[in-house]
Amino acid sequence: MAQSAPLVARIVALSVSATRKAGKIIRDVMRQGGLNIVEKGENDLQTEADRSAQRCIISSLNSQFPNITIIGEEGSSNCDVPSDWIVSDLDEEILNLEFPSHLSDIDPKNLCVWVDPLDGILKFSQFKFFNYCFFKLQQFSLGTSEYTQGLVEHVTVLVGVAVGDRAIGGVIHQPYYQSESGLLGRTLWGIDGVGYGGFNPVHPPEGKRIITTTRSHSNKTVQIAIDAMKPDEIIRVGGAGHKVILLLEGKAHAYVFASSGCKRWDTCAPEAVLYAIGGSLTDLYGERYSYTSHTEYANKKGVLATGPGQHHQWYLSHIPDEVKQKLH
Ligand code: AMP
Ligand code: MG
Ligand code: MG
């Protein structure tokens, strides 16, 4: 089955396993950091988590798909990796999906994979504070789970698969998601026109407007765009991946970010998963971004994402001209 499934299916199926492994690597690096945070200094910890997770994902993809282009946030990582970081399991559910003919026989030259090994991480100063508190709570045997949840749930590992210029397949792994069974981590995936898994789409509440946006990259223009939507509630959380999860699960109606700060690796996977369930992600002019390998990285014209059933056009029509003029 594995060899006969379309290339896109096999890449997404492997990415599900690779992001899960990357999530474990991130948790291991973070845990070690928690023990001697004071000695670590200068962004070391965060860098190690980012790079290790990316090396795991890219090495795993390269070993099975040597002819595809992979662009990772942390640059090229062709160093050796421990052999147990190279993952080869393919998710069976994805391999067994029915693919439409236009996605069944893709030339590897038309594919580009965008990797954000760690999206939505706290700034290092916040991370240091978090670890200090975590350590103190442990010392005094206080409960830590609620405390850790709110802070690290924003972190996701993102792998997006583009065919031509379109985001088609996406995997969003949340390493610190705590399921009811107590297991850490979950993986959401979607392939536009094919299927999705790892979550149940939920519509947001009717009769109110909840907007999610950046927690740490706000500025005057970002705020003007949000105010123009007259939101009933604003949810400020880290990470493009996490904000799109809020849309998938009906916790927000729209993700509005009037800034050129997001990059293609932030939006490729979330965009594909959103389209797989009937949502939308565009720039603030209503155009979709291109994800070919030679495109620029910055999402210069901002990001507007909405879940299924939401009036994307309504949000676009409420973006003030002064905001658009700043983003072109
Ligand atoms: P945020 O919503 O602020 O967590 O941002 C989503 C993603 O875009 C994260 O990967 C951020 O690092 C990135 N990002 C957003 N704004 C900026 C910026 N001004 N500079 C650098 N990266 C940014
Ligand atoms: Mg990111
Ligand atoms: Mg990142």
Side-chain angles (χ1 to χ4, degrees), residues 50 73-74 115-121 156 265-266:
D50 283 341
E73 176 174 8
E74 308 309 328
V115 178
D116 185 344
L118 211 166
D119 182 48
I121 188 63
T156 60
W265 45 75
D266 293 307

Side-chain angles (χ1 to χ4, degrees), residues 281-289 301-304 312 316:
L281 189 151
T282 66
D283 65 24
L284 297 189
Y285 290 78
E287 297 293 324
R288 287 186 70 176
Y289 282 107
K301 296 182 180 174
V303 174
L304 172 66
H312 197 80
L316 287 172

Side-chain angles (χ1 to χ4, degrees), residues 101-320:
S101 55
H102 72 279
L103 292 179
S104 295
D105 189 20
I106 304 285
D107 184 335
K109 285 205 258 350
N110 282 333
L111 277 173
C112 183
V113 177
W114 295 87
V115 178
D116 185 344
L118 211 166
D119 182 48
I121 188 63
L122 308 163
K123 282 187 187 148
F124 189 65
S125 56
Q126 294 169 309
F127 188 73
K128 250 163 98 166
F129 176 70
F130 158 68
N131 266 295
Y132 173 77
C133 297
F134 187 77
F135 184 63
K136 284 284 169 206
L137 286 166
Q138 275 183 330
Q139 258 188 331
F140 296 111
S141 304
L142 299 174
T144 54
S145 66
E146 302 89 335
Y147 189 75
T148 57
Q149 283 250 322
L151 287 166
V152 289
E153 246 192 16
H154 302 187
V155 170
T156 60
V157 181
L158 304 173
V159 177
V161 183
V163 177
D165 61 357
R166 281 281 176 263
I168 293 290
V171 177
I172 306 177
H173 176 73
Q174 231 182 337
Y176 288 96
Y177 178 82
Q178 194 138 28
S179 66
E180 279 165 19
S181 66
L183 285 179
L184 266 187
R186 69 164 167 175
T187 311
L188 306 85
W189 59 266
I191 304 173
D192 189 8
V194 178
Y196 60 85
F199 67 103
N200 292 315
V202 174
H203 280 265
E206 282 179 30
K208 65 192 295 199
R209 190 174 305 117
I210 306 169
I211 296 208
T212 184
T213 193
T214 183
R215 181 170 179 268
S216 52
H217 296 103
S218 197
N219 60 38
K220 204 169 146 211
T221 310
V222 166
Q223 195 55 44
I224 290 172
I226 293 168
D227 292 343
M229 310 294 161
K230 301 203 176 359
D232 297 293
E233 191 182 330
I234 303 172
I235 305 179
R236 297 180 196 277
V237 287
H242 186 58
K243 282 187 270 291
V244 167
I245 291 176
L246 295 182
L247 302 181
L248 303 175
E249 299 198 315
K251 293 184 177 128
H253 297 75
Y255 165 17
V256 182
F257 188 46
S259 154
S260 51
C262 270
K263 314 292 184 304
R264 296 297 200 271
W265 45 75
D266 293 307
T267 48
C268 186
E271 178 173 336
V273 181
L274 256 184
Y275 277 87
I277 65 161
S280 305
L281 189 151
T282 66
D283 65 24
L284 297 189
Y285 290 78
E287 297 293 324
R288 287 186 70 176
Y289 282 107
S290 164
Y291 292 92
T292 60
S293 56
H294 48 266
T295 193
E296 62 183 335
Y297 296 162
N299 292 346
K300 278 192 181 149
K301 296 182 180 174
V303 174
L304 172 66
T306 49
Q310 302 306 308
H311 295 289
H312 197 80
Q313 195 58 43
W314 182 91
Y315 290 93
L316 287 172
S317 66
H318 282 74
I319 303 284

